[in-house]
Amino acid sequence: MKKTFFTAAILAAATAFAADNVQTTTPQPVAQPKDKSWTHFVGAGVTVPVSKYNVEGSDFSLVSAGLNLSYMGISKSGFAVRADLSSGATFTDDVKYNEKEDADVGTYVAGEVGLGYGFVNTPDWTVAVFATVGVEGSVFTRDTETYKHPDLGKVDWTRSVTLGALTLGGDLVVRKALGDHVGVFASVGGRWAPVAVWLLTDEYDNDDVNRKDTFKSDKSDGGFTVVPTVGAMWNF
């Protein structure tokens, strides 16, 4: 009888001790991912702008090709911003170094910023439109090793012809996702050039003198540029 009593007492004490030392855990709520207030996109692609300006009563048509780098941000509300920079080569039959020599190939650069709205911005698709303002320019350069200047004598002569414009316009951008963070995009932009400028620069250089003469005309009827672009786009 005593053995049974002591056994029961020991079992009861052990049970109480175990109950006192059991650690209870309270389930923690699972953290939910926060909705991003902005989606950011970085693009790299190829652009082929086609431009036409009128300066001093003469028309200048140019076809350019180059690399385009861009940033686009779209907020949760749809408000969107965009900035891009393009650089490459430009081709024309309308720019002349002098009466006998045409300038066929030059360099092209353009930059724009824009504000707009993202109509669609899902993990798979983005469609946005922007109003833009920017500048663009094409430069054609001719180097002559030796030139006999009537005032300076023998000099190295460099002539540059620049066509530039202030642009106002709009862009349509469409992106298709190929994965979680990478996709492809296509955009097309239309630019009106309210002001176009023609600039001629002659630089003369020898051991004794360095002189630069510049002639400028901004008497223009403006012009336009159409800008198609395709490439890859990363989002984060």
Side-chain angles (χ1 to χ4, degrees):
M1 182 71 178
K2 289 183 179 181
K3 184 176 181 180
T4 302
F5 175 78
F6 284 118
T7 301
I10 291 172
L11 290 174
T15 302
F17 178 80
D20 289 340
N21 287 273
V22 171
Q23 294 183 352
T24 60
T25 57
T26 302
Q28 298 295 321
V30 178
Q32 299 296 323
K34 294 182 179 180
D35 291 336
K36 294 196 301 183
S37 58
W38 282 85
T39 307
H40 306 278
F41 303 89
V42 175
V46 177
T47 185
V48 186
V50 178
S51 306
K52 186 173 183 178
Y53 309 128
N54 181 282
V55 184
E56 289 282 357
S58 299
D59 289 330
F60 299 90
S61 298
L62 306 97
V63 177
S64 306
L67 175 67
N68 172 267
L69 300 176
S70 64
Y71 164 79
M72 179 173 67
I74 302 180
S75 71
K76 189 176 179 181
S77 66
F79 175 73
V81 297
R82 188 168 188 256
D84 70 305
L85 178 67
S86 302
S87 179
T90 187
F91 308 88
T92 185
D93 293 328
D94 298 327
V95 174
K96 298 181 180 297
Y97 292 124
N98 52 49
E99 293 181 357
K100 298 180 180 180
E101 187 176 2
D102 295 340
D104 297 324
V105 182
T107 58
Y108 170 84
V109 65
E112 294 88 23
V113 294
L115 300 177
Y117 185 77
F119 292 95
V120 177
N121 189 28
T122 68
D124 293 327
W125 287 94
T126 300
V127 180
V129 294
F130 298 88
T132 65
V133 58
V135 292
E136 59 188 27
S138 299
V139 182
F140 303 85
T141 303
R142 177 184 184 274
D143 290 316
T144 301
E145 290 185 1
T146 303
Y147 170 72
K148 190 173 182 179
H149 192 279
D151 299 325
L152 304 177
K154 290 185 178 181
V155 293
D156 293 332
W157 172 34
T158 301
R159 168 164 283 187
S160 297
V161 179
T162 302
L163 285 168
L166 169 70
T167 62
L168 303 172
D171 285 343
L172 169 65
V173 182
V174 179
R175 175 200 68 102
K176 174 65 174 73
L178 300 179
D180 291 339
H181 297 286
V182 68
V184 294
F185 81 97
S187 69
V188 61
R191 314 272 188 264
W192 169 54
V195 177
V197 176
W198 173 86
L199 191 69
L200 174 67
T201 302
D202 286 322
E203 186 171 1
Y204 307 102
D205 182 66
N206 60 24
D207 294 336
D208 300 321
V209 67
N210 180 279
R211 193 175 96 181
K212 182 181 291 187
D213 298 333
T214 301
F215 308 91
K216 175 184 175 182
S217 177
D218 56 5
K219 296 179 180 179
S220 73
D221 291 330
F224 66 88
T225 300
V226 178
V227 189
T229 307
V230 295
M233 184 168 277
W234 294 264
N235 63 284
F236 56 94

Short mmCIF file of all heavy atoms in Angstrom, two decimals, residues 133-170:
data_model
loop_
_atom_site.label_atom_id
_atom_site.label_comp_id
_atom_site.label_asym_id
_atom_site.label_seq_id
_atom_site.Cartn_x
_atom_site.Cartn_y
_atom_site.Cartn_z
N VAL A 133 9.68 67.00 -73.29
CA VAL A 133 10.43 68.18 -73.72
C VAL A 133 11.90 67.77 -73.78
O VAL A 133 12.36 67.01 -72.93
CB VAL A 133 10.21 69.38 -72.78
CG1 VAL A 133 10.60 69.05 -71.35
CG2 VAL A 133 10.95 70.60 -73.28
N GLY A 134 12.62 68.26 -74.78
CA GLY A 134 14.01 67.85 -74.90
C GLY A 134 14.78 68.68 -75.90
O GLY A 134 14.30 69.69 -76.41
N VAL A 135 15.98 68.23 -76.17
CA VAL A 135 16.85 68.85 -77.17
C VAL A 135 17.48 67.74 -77.99
O VAL A 135 17.65 66.61 -77.53
CB VAL A 135 17.95 69.72 -76.52
CG1 VAL A 135 17.36 70.95 -75.86
CG2 VAL A 135 18.79 68.91 -75.55
N GLU A 136 17.83 68.06 -79.24
CA GLU A 136 18.53 67.11 -80.10
C GLU A 136 19.46 67.87 -81.02
O GLU A 136 19.23 69.05 -81.32
CB GLU A 136 17.54 66.27 -80.91
CG GLU A 136 16.63 67.08 -81.81
CD GLU A 136 15.54 66.23 -82.45
OE1 GLU A 136 15.17 65.18 -81.86
OE2 GLU A 136 15.07 66.60 -83.54
N GLY A 137 20.53 67.21 -81.44
CA GLY A 137 21.49 67.87 -82.30
C GLY A 137 22.28 66.89 -83.12
O GLY A 137 22.49 65.73 -82.73
N SER A 138 22.73 67.35 -84.29
CA SER A 138 23.59 66.57 -85.18
C SER A 138 24.79 67.43 -85.55
O SER A 138 24.64 68.61 -85.87
CB SER A 138 22.83 66.15 -86.44
OG SER A 138 21.72 65.33 -86.11
N VAL A 139 25.98 66.83 -85.50
CA VAL A 139 27.22 67.56 -85.76
C VAL A 139 27.99 66.85 -86.86
O VAL A 139 28.21 65.63 -86.80
CB VAL A 139 28.09 67.66 -84.49
CG1 VAL A 139 29.37 68.45 -84.78
CG2 VAL A 139 27.31 68.30 -83.35
N PHE A 140 28.41 67.63 -87.86
CA PHE A 140 29.21 67.13 -88.98
C PHE A 140 30.54 67.87 -88.97
O PHE A 140 30.56 69.11 -88.92
CB PHE A 140 28.49 67.35 -90.30
CG PHE A 140 27.12 66.72 -90.35
CD1 PHE A 140 26.01 67.39 -89.85
CD2 PHE A 140 26.95 65.45 -90.87
CE1 PHE A 140 24.75 66.82 -89.89
CE2 PHE A 140 25.70 64.86 -90.90
CZ PHE A 140 24.59 65.54 -90.41
N THR A 141 31.64 67.13 -89.03
CA THR A 141 32.97 67.74 -88.88
C THR A 141 33.87 67.33 -90.03
O THR A 141 33.90 66.16 -90.44
CB THR A 141 33.61 67.30 -87.55
OG1 THR A 141 32.75 67.67 -86.46
CG2 THR A 141 34.96 67.98 -87.35
N ARG A 142 34.64 68.33 -90.53
CA ARG A 142 35.61 68.09 -91.60
C ARG A 142 36.96 68.63 -91.15
O ARG A 142 37.07 69.79 -90.74
CB ARG A 142 35.18 68.78 -92.88
CG ARG A 142 36.16 68.66 -94.04
CD ARG A 142 35.66 69.48 -95.22
NE ARG A 142 36.49 69.35 -96.41
CZ ARG A 142 37.57 70.09 -96.65
NH1 ARG A 142 37.97 70.99 -95.76
NH2 ARG A 142 38.26 69.92 -97.76
N ASP A 143 38.00 67.78 -91.22
CA ASP A 143 39.36 68.18 -90.87
C ASP A 143 40.21 68.31 -92.12
O ASP A 143 40.17 67.44 -93.00
CB ASP A 143 40.01 67.16 -89.93
CG ASP A 143 39.37 67.17 -88.55
OD1 ASP A 143 39.13 68.27 -88.04
OD2 ASP A 143 39.11 66.08 -88.02
N THR A 144 40.99 69.39 -92.20
CA THR A 144 41.96 69.58 -93.29
C THR A 144 43.34 69.74 -92.67
O THR A 144 43.54 70.59 -91.80
CB THR A 144 41.61 70.83 -94.12
OG1 THR A 144 40.30 70.67 -94.66
CG2 THR A 144 42.60 71.01 -95.27
N GLU A 145 44.28 68.92 -93.11
CA GLU A 145 45.61 68.96 -92.49
C GLU A 145 46.29 70.32 -92.69
O GLU A 145 46.85 70.89 -91.76
CB GLU A 145 46.47 67.84 -93.07
CG GLU A 145 46.02 66.46 -92.65
CD GLU A 145 46.96 65.39 -93.14
OE1 GLU A 145 47.97 65.75 -93.79
OE2 GLU A 145 46.71 64.21 -92.88
N THR A 146 46.22 70.83 -93.92
CA THR A 146 46.88 72.12 -94.19
C THR A 146 45.97 72.99 -95.04
O THR A 146 45.41 72.53 -96.03
CB THR A 146 48.21 71.92 -94.94
OG1 THR A 146 49.05 71.06 -94.17
CG2 THR A 146 48.91 73.25 -95.15
N TYR A 147 45.82 74.23 -94.59
CA TYR A 147 44.99 75.19 -95.32
C TYR A 147 45.69 76.54 -95.28
O TYR A 147 46.19 76.97 -94.24
CB TYR A 147 43.61 75.28 -94.67
CG TYR A 147 42.75 76.40 -95.19
CD1 TYR A 147 42.19 76.34 -96.46
CD2 TYR A 147 42.50 77.52 -94.40
CE1 TYR A 147 41.40 77.37 -96.94
CE2 TYR A 147 41.70 78.55 -94.87
CZ TYR A 147 41.16 78.47 -96.14
OH TYR A 147 40.37 79.49 -96.61
N LYS A 148 45.74 77.21 -96.43
CA LYS A 148 46.39 78.52 -96.49
C LYS A 148 45.35 79.61 -96.28
O LYS A 148 44.59 79.96 -97.16
CB LYS A 148 47.09 78.71 -97.83
CG LYS A 148 47.98 79.95 -97.86
CD LYS A 148 48.80 80.04 -99.13
CE LYS A 148 49.72 81.27 -99.10
NZ LYS A 148 50.55 81.36 -100.33
N HIS A 149 45.33 80.14 -95.05
CA HIS A 149 44.38 81.18 -94.69
C HIS A 149 44.90 82.52 -95.19
O HIS A 149 46.10 82.81 -95.07
CB HIS A 149 44.19 81.21 -93.17
CG HIS A 149 43.04 82.03 -92.72
ND1 HIS A 149 43.10 83.40 -92.59
CD2 HIS A 149 41.78 81.67 -92.36
CE1 HIS A 149 41.95 83.85 -92.16
NE2 HIS A 149 41.11 82.81 -92.01
N PRO A 150 44.02 83.38 -95.73
CA PRO A 150 44.50 84.66 -96.26
C PRO A 150 45.13 85.56 -95.20
O PRO A 150 45.97 86.40 -95.52
CB PRO A 150 43.23 85.29 -96.86
CG PRO A 150 42.09 84.56 -96.24
CD PRO A 150 42.58 83.19 -95.97
N ASP A 151 44.74 85.43 -93.95
CA ASP A 151 45.28 86.28 -92.88
C ASP A 151 46.26 85.54 -91.97
O ASP A 151 47.21 86.14 -91.45
CB ASP A 151 44.15 86.84 -92.02
CG ASP A 151 43.20 87.72 -92.82
OD1 ASP A 151 43.67 88.42 -93.75
OD2 ASP A 151 41.99 87.68 -92.52
N LEU A 152 46.05 84.24 -91.76
CA LEU A 152 46.83 83.50 -90.77
C LEU A 152 47.94 82.67 -91.39
O LEU A 152 48.77 82.13 -90.67
CB LEU A 152 45.90 82.59 -89.96
CG LEU A 152 44.73 83.27 -89.26
CD1 LEU A 152 43.86 82.24 -88.57
CD2 LEU A 152 45.22 84.32 -88.27
N GLY A 153 47.96 82.54 -92.70
CA GLY A 153 48.96 81.69 -93.34
C GLY A 153 48.56 80.23 -93.27
O GLY A 153 47.37 79.88 -93.26
N LYS A 154 49.55 79.32 -93.21
CA LYS A 154 49.27 77.90 -93.18
C LYS A 154 48.76 77.48 -91.80
O LYS A 154 49.40 77.74 -90.78
CB LYS A 154 50.53 77.11 -93.53
CG LYS A 154 50.94 77.23 -95.00
CD LYS A 154 52.12 76.33 -95.30
CE LYS A 154 52.51 76.42 -96.77
NZ LYS A 154 53.65 75.52 -97.10
N VAL A 155 47.60 76.86 -91.81
CA VAL A 155 46.97 76.46 -90.55
C VAL A 155 46.32 75.09 -90.74
O VAL A 155 46.07 74.64 -91.86
CB VAL A 155 45.89 77.47 -90.10
CG1 VAL A 155 46.51 78.80 -89.72
CG2 VAL A 155 44.83 77.65 -91.19
N ASP A 156 46.04 74.43 -89.62
CA ASP A 156 45.15 73.27 -89.61
C ASP A 156 43.73 73.80 -89.48
O ASP A 156 43.43 74.59 -88.56
CB ASP A 156 45.47 72.35 -88.44
CG ASP A 156 46.83 71.69 -88.60
OD1 ASP A 156 47.26 71.51 -89.76
OD2 ASP A 156 47.45 71.38 -87.58
N TRP A 157 42.85 73.34 -90.36
CA TRP A 157 41.50 73.91 -90.42
C TRP A 157 40.48 72.82 -90.11
O TRP A 157 40.50 71.74 -90.71
CB TRP A 157 41.26 74.51 -91.81
CG TRP A 157 39.87 74.98 -92.09
CD1 TRP A 157 39.00 75.54 -91.21
CD2 TRP A 157 39.19 74.95 -93.35
NE1 TRP A 157 37.81 75.87 -91.82
CE2 TRP A 157 37.92 75.51 -93.15
CE3 TRP A 157 39.55 74.51 -94.63
CZ2 TRP A 157 36.98 75.64 -94.19
CZ3 TRP A 157 38.63 74.64 -95.65
CH2 TRP A 157 37.36 75.20 -95.43
N THR A 158 39.58 73.10 -89.17
CA THR A 158 38.47 72.19 -88.85
C THR A 158 37.16 72.94 -89.00
O THR A 158 36.98 74.01 -88.41
CB THR A 158 38.58 71.66 -87.41
OG1 THR A 158 39.81 70.96 -87.26
CG2 THR A 158 37.43 70.73 -87.09
N ARG A 159 36.27 72.39 -89.80
CA ARG A 159 34.95 73.01 -89.98
C ARG A 159 33.89 72.06 -89.43
O ARG A 159 33.86 70.86 -89.73
CB ARG A 159 34.69 73.30 -91.45
CG ARG A 159 33.23 73.66 -91.75
CD ARG A 159 33.06 74.32 -93.11
NE ARG A 159 33.50 75.71 -93.05
CZ ARG A 159 33.35 76.58 -94.07
NH1 ARG A 159 32.81 76.18 -95.21
NH2 ARG A 159 33.75 77.83 -93.94
N SER A 160 32.99 72.61 -88.60
CA SER A 160 31.89 71.85 -88.03
C SER A 160 30.57 72.51 -88.38
O SER A 160 30.43 73.74 -88.28
CB SER A 160 32.01 71.76 -86.50
OG SER A 160 33.18 71.07 -86.12
N VAL A 161 29.62 71.70 -88.79
CA VAL A 161 28.25 72.16 -89.06
C VAL A 161 27.33 71.46 -88.08
O VAL A 161 27.31 70.22 -88.00
CB VAL A 161 27.83 71.87 -90.50
CG1 VAL A 161 26.40 72.36 -90.74
CG2 VAL A 161 28.78 72.52 -91.49
N THR A 162 26.56 72.24 -87.32
CA THR A 162 25.68 71.69 -86.30
C THR A 162 24.24 72.08 -86.60
O THR A 162 23.95 73.24 -86.91
CB THR A 162 26.06 72.20 -84.91
OG1 THR A 162 27.41 71.85 -84.63
CG2 THR A 162 25.15 71.61 -83.84
N LEU A 163 23.34 71.12 -86.52
CA LEU A 163 21.91 71.36 -86.57
C LEU A 163 21.32 70.93 -85.23
O LEU A 163 21.53 69.79 -84.79
CB LEU A 163 21.25 70.57 -87.69
CG LEU A 163 21.46 71.10 -89.11
CD1 LEU A 163 21.00 70.06 -90.12
CD2 LEU A 163 20.70 72.41 -89.31
N GLY A 164 20.62 71.82 -84.55
CA GLY A 164 20.04 71.50 -83.26
C GLY A 164 18.64 72.01 -83.14
O GLY A 164 18.21 72.91 -83.89
N ALA A 165 17.88 71.46 -82.20
CA ALA A 165 16.49 71.86 -82.05
C ALA A 165 16.01 71.63 -80.63
O ALA A 165 16.45 70.69 -79.95
CB ALA A 165 15.60 71.10 -83.03
N LEU A 166 15.11 72.50 -80.19
CA LEU A 166 14.30 72.27 -79.00
C LEU A 166 13.09 71.47 -79.43
O LEU A 166 12.48 71.77 -80.46
CB LEU A 166 13.87 73.60 -78.39
CG LEU A 166 12.82 73.54 -77.28
CD1 LEU A 166 13.40 72.95 -76.02
CD2 LEU A 166 12.24 74.94 -77.01
N THR A 167 12.73 70.44 -78.67
CA THR A 167 11.63 69.57 -79.09
C THR A 167 10.54 69.49 -78.02
O THR A 167 10.82 69.46 -76.82
CB THR A 167 12.12 68.15 -79.40
OG1 THR A 167 12.70 67.56 -78.22
CG2 THR A 167 13.16 68.18 -80.51
N LEU A 168 9.30 69.41 -78.49
CA LEU A 168 8.13 69.16 -77.65
C LEU A 168 7.33 68.05 -78.31
O LEU A 168 7.19 68.04 -79.54
CB LEU A 168 7.26 70.42 -77.54
CG LEU A 168 7.92 71.68 -77.01
CD1 LEU A 168 6.95 72.87 -77.15
CD2 LEU A 168 8.33 71.51 -75.55
N GLY A 169 6.84 67.11 -77.51
CA GLY A 169 6.11 66.02 -78.16
C GLY A 169 5.56 65.03 -77.18
O GLY A 169 5.22 65.36 -76.04
N GLY A 170 5.47 63.77 -77.63
CA GLY A 170 4.90 62.72 -76.80
C GLY A 170 5.46 61.36 -77.17
O GLY A 170 5.96 61.16 -78.28
#
